[in-house]
Each structure stands twice: as C-alpha cells, then as structure tokens.
Amino acid sequence: MKLETLVIREITKYQPETASECRELCSFKLRKLGEGIYREVYKVVGADLVIKFPLKEEKTFKDHSRLEYRACRKVLWAHKKHHAIVNFIPEIQHYNPTTGVLVMEYCTPIKKSVHTKRCKKLIAGLVKLLIDAVWKGHSKGDADMHSDNLGISKVNGQLKIIDLGYFFN
C-alpha cells in the first residue's frame, strides 16, 4: 500500500486532533515544518503530504482550516470561472470538519527555493494581483499573501498558495 493511502486511511480512522495524538495512534512519522497563528504544519516523512493541525480546540482555530478547504473547493469546483488561478490551488487529500485537521500535498516553500527577498516579494505581489483580478469573491487576503504562504508543487513544479485560510468570503 502506498504511504499516501495509508496516511489518509489512518487519519480518517483515528481522527487525531493534535500531532501528538497522530504520532500515538498512526503508524507513519511526522516532521514539524512550522506553525502560524491558527495551525501547526507537519510533513509526513516519506510522502509528499502535509498535515495541518489546529493549535487549539476553539472554533476560531478550526475555522481557519474550514475556510481554506472551502476556498480550495470553490476555485476547483468552478474551474472555468477561476481558470486563471486553478493551477495555484494545492490538492487537499482530506479534511475533517470536526477536528479541523487538513491533509494536503506538500509544496516546497518558495523561501527555500528563491534566494532574494526582492524576488519573493515580486512573486507574492504577482499572485496577489492575479487573484484580485480574477477571483471576485475572495476577502482581500493580501495581508496573508507573502512568500511563507507560497510553495512549489513537487508533483508538477507549479507555484501554489499553501495557505488559503483568509481567501474565502
């Protein structure tokens, strides 16, 4: 069985709410990548997946995952309407609305791929302009559009927005 399939199966079966629960219940290994205001992100060792866990059990923290999931679904379901930004949306493999845990494809952060601060700002600015131009329903999440929230897909080399939590209106 592929590791990606095992991860989804075990996350669905055990429904861990935290990384420590996941480490206790699941057979795969996690490596912490970082954390933001609402969630912490772990890479599944040996697979091109990340798992985002809410930092607290409060609704606000779980809502960030819900908003990201809804933003991704909104763009992908109406791909003709949002055709210019579809390629920027990462694939979400699993979302649990009860726990707020989200599993998605791993993308190499551009902060590791691009070496100058000016280049990172230009890329983030370009993505922001494109989204403002074609996605009329988003909530002006430009405060969250920075190089830490952009990555390069390991699957196809495309630039991806790896945190869409503030982009749903």
Side-chain angles (χ1 to χ4, degrees):
M1 174 186 318
K2 283 183 69 174
L3 182 55
E4 287 82 357
T5 306
L6 175 74
V7 169
I8 301 306
R9 181 178 290 170
E10 290 186 359
I11 289 286
T12 304
K13 179 180 179 180
Y14 299 120
Q15 299 184 25
E17 294 188 36
T18 64
S20 49
E21 273 185 24
C22 187
R23 284 185 169 123
E24 199 175 293
L25 298 169
C26 300
S27 62
F28 52 87
K29 295 186 185 313
L30 298 174
R31 179 175 49 88
K32 188 170 185 174
L33 295 177
E35 65 182 57
I37 297 169
Y38 298 107
R39 299 178 296 190
E40 55 186 352
V41 181
Y42 289 81
K43 182 173 186 318
V44 176
V45 176
D48 288 329
L49 292 175
V50 295
I51 304 176
K52 297 180 177 183
F53 296 97
L55 286 170
K56 296 182 182 176
E57 288 189 35
E58 296 165 22
K59 186 179 182 314
T60 307
F61 290 82
K62 292 178 182 180
D63 274 354
H64 195 73
S65 290
R66 181 182 58 81
L67 292 172
E68 180 169 19
Y69 178 75
R70 286 177 62 189
C72 289
R73 292 293 112 200
K74 182 177 183 175
V75 171
L76 296 175
W77 286 342
H79 64 277
K80 287 184 181 179
K81 180 179 176 184
H82 303 296
H83 69 280
I85 59 172
V86 166
N87 289 336
F88 292 108
I89 308 302
E91 184 179 348
I92 293 179
Q93 305 283 340
H94 173 79
Y95 168 64
N96 183 325
T98 305
T99 63
V101 172
L102 192 133
V103 181
M104 61 194 305
E105 74 172 289
Y106 171 74
C107 297
T108 306
I110 65 165
K111 63 183 179 183
K112 292 183 179 179
S113 306
V114 180
H115 300 290
T116 69
K117 190 174 185 176
R118 183 170 184 252
C119 189
K120 291 176 197 174
K121 282 185 176 182
L122 286 170
I123 292 170
L126 178 63
V127 172
K128 180 201 166 315
L129 285 172
L130 181 62
I131 288 172
D132 285 347
V134 299
W135 189 358
K136 300 300 181 199
H138 86 90
S139 61
K140 298 288 183 190
D142 37 351
D144 211 31
M145 182 49 62
H146 49 80
S147 61
D148 289 349
N149 284 343
L150 297 172
I152 308 296
S153 171
K154 296 194 84 169
V155 175
N156 59 15
Q158 288 278 340
L159 183 67
K160 301 284 183 175
I161 303 168
I162 57 178
D163 186 351
L164 280 152
Y166 284 124
F167 281 86
F168 189 81
N169 190 6

